[in-house]
Amino acid sequence: PGDYQAALLGVASVPSVASKRWVYRQYDHMVRLGSLLLPGSDAAVVRMPTGPGSWKYLAASTDCNAHYCYLNPRRGALIAVAECVRNLAMTGAEPLALTDNLNFANPHNPERFWELAECVDGLAEGCRFFGIPVTGGNVSLYNQNPKGAIEPTPTVGVVGLIEEEAHVTPSCFQAAGDAVLLIGGWGWEIAGTVYARELHRQHHGDCPQLDLENELNLHRAVRALIRAGLCRSAHDLSEGGFGLAALEACIAQPTGLGASLGADLRLPDHQRLDVTLFNESQSRAIVTVPAGQEAAALQVVFSQGIGGEHVGHVTTAQEGLTLRAGETTLQWSVAELEEAWGKALGRLMQGEAAQDC
């Protein structure tokens, strides 16, 4: 891109990745005060009574990247399962069960039926690997019109269990001064990304690779950090890559009000900056740990068979988000991040409502 400052804000404002605050503020998500993590985090967490004064904590997430499934139906569906379980792991949860919502075009068309069959095989592979039963689901077919078919969209929802309330972990930064760790590496795969599709109008190639063992190692590493009391926040890298994940972690969840924070992060200079910022290689996360605990946290990560590194620290909201790569320094204020990511969907819906009127 000619302007990296604008590129990150442009990716952040794409409706599929921007904050869904406009939607979830339409209903009361605080009914009976059972929610511990409200909408906007990697997964929602609610408490369930198990007896007088005792509780268990259920985490839930839904996921699917139809653009991945368009490029590679089987792997795209497998990634949907992996990302959903990954989101649960970021909150401290172990997966329990999965339900699906399979949205496809006309199955009498051999190519569309092939997409359906490949996606189902991908879902089955993911469920077998993670040991998750499919407890229900539904199928919606013939989703097309004279202009063409929808992209294959095998949406999945997974529910998981967190044994202790102390292990419930948010996705946004918690305190200035905390160290930021990147687990799983910097990645490199740019095909099929929001960046390639929305900023460069390129939607071809293959979707990211997925190593299931590496993915499971990531989940175990994050849960181990949480259970060791070292993890203040955890946020997976998915659509939008490292750049978007860093932006999202700066904005206070779930409302976007209150204690938003900034970050000062170092990026490598061994590859193109746009690839570093926006690639969507799988099995990665950014976590924060108390200052001075970086070495101990990394030892926990390494013990689970996955790599990690210290990439910077959390700052105040007044300092905003700073990304440094070699001699290049990029900076955004928290207000810019909030305007691009937090308000994009509301602006779009208000514009369409005005057109309807």
Side-chain angles (χ1 to χ4, degrees):
D3 184 345
Y4 277 98
Q5 306 279 146
L8 179 59
L9 300 179
V11 167
S13 63
V14 172
S16 62
V17 298
S19 170
K20 305 307 182 291
R21 187 187 310 151
W22 185 91
V23 177
Y24 62 69
R25 281 186 173 174
Q26 305 290 328
Y27 67 94
D28 184 358
H29 49 264
M30 289 292 289
V31 173
R32 301 184 68 182
L33 298 177
S35 302
L36 275 75
L37 284 184
L38 299 175
S41 206
D42 279 25
V45 178
V46 296
R47 61 180 185 175
M48 304 293 291
T50 57
S54 63
W55 306 84
K56 285 190 176 180
Y57 306 91
L58 295 179
S61 180
T62 59
D63 282 287
C64 182
N65 189 323
H67 305 296
Y68 290 172
C69 296
Y70 167 78
L71 297 175
N72 189 320
R74 182 184 294 249
R75 194 185 312 140
L78 181 58
I79 288 174
V81 176
E83 183 182 351
C84 210
V85 177
R86 188 189 315 150
N87 281 327
L88 297 186
M90 297 301 114
T91 68
E94 296 265 7
L96 292 176
L98 176 145
T99 186
D100 58 49
N101 169 220
L102 308 180
N103 306 279
F104 293 87
N106 184 350
H108 293 288
N109 179 316
E111 292 183 2
R112 303 289 82 83
F113 184 81
W114 174 80
E115 290 175 342
L116 172 59
E118 287 288 288
C119 282
V120 169
D121 285 346
L123 295 180
E125 181 181 353
C127 290
R128 283 193 296 268
F129 180 82
F130 292 109
I132 312 172
V134 179
T135 58
N138 60 71
V139 181
S140 176
L141 302 176
Y142 305 100
N143 293 289
Q144 60 188 79
N145 61 34
K147 294 183 179 180
I150 67 164
E151 294 184 329
T153 311
T155 306
V156 298
V158 180
V159 64
L161 178 66
I162 305 173
E163 292 285 357
E164 299 181 25
E165 184 175 359
H167 295 161
V168 177
T169 305
S171 63
C172 58
F173 296 144
Q174 296 297 293
D178 284 351
V180 180
L181 308 182
L182 171 67
I183 305 177
W186 288 101
W188 58 272
E189 294 158 291
I190 206 73
T193 61
V194 175
Y195 170 72
R197 188 177 69 252
E198 299 292 339
L199 269 65
H200 294 291
R201 303 300 175 190
Q202 301 296 317
H203 192 22
H204 51 78
D206 200 359
C207 73
Q209 303 292 316
L210 180 65
D211 182 323
L212 286 171
E213 291 291 344
N214 197 50
E215 179 73 31
L216 185 57
N217 289 343
L218 172 72
H219 304 177
R220 288 171 171 165
V222 173
R223 284 194 294 260
L225 285 173
I226 291 171
R227 291 166 182 171
L230 291 171
C231 188
R232 291 193 192 271
S233 70
H235 186 24
D236 79 314
L237 273 62
S238 54
E239 286 185 281
F242 181 89
L244 186 71
L247 180 158
E248 291 172 335
C250 288
I251 306 297
Q253 304 290 1
T255 63
L257 303 174
S260 292
L261 293 166
D264 193 323
L265 307 174
R266 299 181 306 275
L267 280 59
D269 56 6
H270 65 267
Q271 64 184 5
R272 280 174 36 179
L273 182 54
D274 58 338
V275 174
T276 298
L277 281 175
F278 301 120
N279 83 79
E280 296 178 11
S281 290
Q282 299 295 295
S283 310
R284 300 184 296 150
I286 53 175
V287 303
T288 57
V289 302
Q293 296 295 314
E294 302 91 337
L298 286 172
Q299 281 301 113
V300 173
V301 171
F302 298 153
S303 72
Q304 300 300 320
I306 194 167
E309 60 183 287
H310 178 205
V311 298
H313 63 279
V314 179
T315 63
T316 65
Q318 289 71 29
E319 294 172 274
L321 175 62
T322 301
L323 302 179
R324 308 177 191 274
E327 297 181 357
T328 301
T329 299
L330 304 173
Q331 291 182 302
W332 298 264
S333 69
V334 169
E336 288 179 295
L337 306 182
E338 166 63 26
E339 187 68 26
W341 178 80
K343 300 180 180 179
L345 193 58
R347 286 196 303 271
L348 177 65
M349 298 303 295
Q350 289 169 0
E352 291 190 352
Q355 291 176 13
D356 291 341
C357 292

